[in-house]
Amino acid sequence: MEELTALLVVALFAERLVEALKMVLGSMVQGWPRPYQESFWRLLGLFWGVLLAVALKVNLFVIAGLPDANPVLGALLAGLFAGMGTEWVHQLLTNLPRLSAEARRLRLLTGADGAGRKRSD
């Protein structure tokens, strides 16, 4: 479980680093064709994912239950997965406040408490 959490943290850090670089480098790539821009940001996500996973020794094979497999390859694969997950993490972080507000509104409309049970007022 700790390795899976570490993989999610790597994806989160990689996503935040890409977003920070978008603020700094965004104007530089603004004139590029759209597919090149998207590829550039994805490559940066992959780069940060691999770099962080290797540096933090996050091993995808350990997560998969294969602790005896090559740890370097496991870290590279973990970095690739984390780097590919930066868009997913970005969408989650972007939509989380809206989803939370919608869930709260739904609970108020249905009269359910936080555990999904009907309240007995």
Side-chain angles (χ1 to χ4, degrees):
M1 186 61 163
E2 292 172 8
E3 285 285 327
L4 185 57
T5 302
L7 183 63
L8 292 173
V9 168
V10 167
L12 176 66
F13 284 170
E15 187 275 337
R16 293 286 85 194
L17 286 166
V18 170
E19 289 301 309
L21 287 171
K22 277 184 181 180
M23 289 189 289
V24 175
L25 303 175
S27 60
M28 181 187 82
V29 301
Q30 196 169 15
W32 296 5
R34 186 93 174 139
Y36 292 158
Q37 289 180 32
E38 292 172 2
S39 294
F40 178 72
W41 298 124
R42 286 188 183 120
L43 281 171
L44 274 178
L46 287 171
F47 168 78
W48 285 116
V50 169
L51 183 71
L52 290 168
V54 169
L56 298 173
K57 298 179 182 164
V58 178
N59 187 338
L60 189 65
F61 292 135
V62 172
I63 295 169
L66 304 167
D68 296 331
N70 187 323
V72 174
L73 183 58
L76 289 173
L77 289 173
L80 288 174
F81 273 87
M84 290 185 318
T86 57
E87 181 64 28
W88 176 81
V89 171
H90 175 77
Q91 293 299 324
L92 179 66
L93 292 175
T94 302
N95 292 318
L96 200 55
R98 180 183 56 81
L99 293 172
S100 176
E102 288 179 11
R104 191 173 21 256
R105 188 171 41 249
L106 184 60
R107 280 195 305 270
L108 289 172
L109 290 174
T110 61
D113 65 7
R117 296 180 298 256
K118 286 280 191 182
R119 288 185 291 193
S120 56
D121 294 326

